[in-house]
Amino acid sequence: MSEETETPAPEPTAPVPPSPSTPPAPSAPPTPPQPLTYDELLAERDRWQRAATEAQASQASAAEQAAQAARGEVLSQLGPELINTALRLQATTEGVELPNPEYLALDRFAGEDGRPDTEAIQKFVTSLPKSRPAFPQLGGTQVSPGGGASMANMDPEALADLIAGNSII
């Protein structure tokens, strides 16, 4: 009889942890760093000073650029309003009536830096016709010329006689 024997399957083996490698025996202890010489120390100091100066210069440059950008942004937003105000001020000073600002190209009154160009504004405003006053200018308390004697200088009795004689009424 033949007996078949089953052979069991091999069991998986657990991974073997790597054995810690032992460092090789030091042949000689490491040498400590050598101190710098005086000239090397001066060179190192100079290098650090140059680096600090460059860093300060770049920070100042960056701050100036940021300030310029902020000024440009403010002028771009407020520039037309400043120009309009300068136009109104100059027109009032010259005694002329300014056209509606909606119809004016306000950017032609701006300087290169975005601020109002006072010369261009003055040139434009002086080219406008002078406006006439709506009412005639009266000379204060003076009586307008109309003929006859001035009542302001009359004696009260003469004025009463004039009124009684129906000359005024």
Side-chain angles (χ1 to χ4, degrees), residues 31-53:
T31 59
Q34 297 295 321
L36 298 175
T37 65
Y38 181 73
D39 292 335
E40 292 172 336
L41 285 174
L42 289 178
E44 186 73 12
R45 181 202 61 186
D46 291 343
R47 186 177 66 85
W48 282 106
Q49 284 179 341
R50 279 191 306 275
T53 303

Side-chain angles (χ1 to χ4, degrees), residues 67-167:
Q68 286 288 352
R71 279 188 214 112
E73 181 68 25
V74 168
L75 281 175
S76 70
Q77 290 178 1
L78 297 179
E81 208 170 309
L82 289 172
I83 292 169
N84 189 20
T85 302
L87 279 167
R88 288 193 332 236
L89 175 68
Q90 188 68 33
T92 303
T93 303
E94 295 289 328
V96 298
E97 187 173 333
L98 192 64
N100 190 343
E102 292 178 11
Y103 303 116
L104 296 175
L106 294 179
D107 56 341
R108 66 178 248 227
F109 300 112
E112 291 180 13
D113 58 353
R115 297 172 192 254
D117 183 3
T118 55
E119 291 178 12
I121 290 172
Q122 187 173 17
K123 183 178 177 183
F124 171 73
V125 170
T126 55
S127 71
L128 295 174
K130 297 256 184 203
S131 59
R132 290 187 228 157
F135 298 104
Q137 295 293 331
L138 299 177
T141 59
Q142 297 177 353
V143 178
S144 57
S150 173
M151 290 186 210
N153 296 332
M154 287 184 94
D155 180 35
E157 289 180 18
L159 184 61
D161 289 340
L162 185 65
I163 292 173
N166 289 332
S167 299

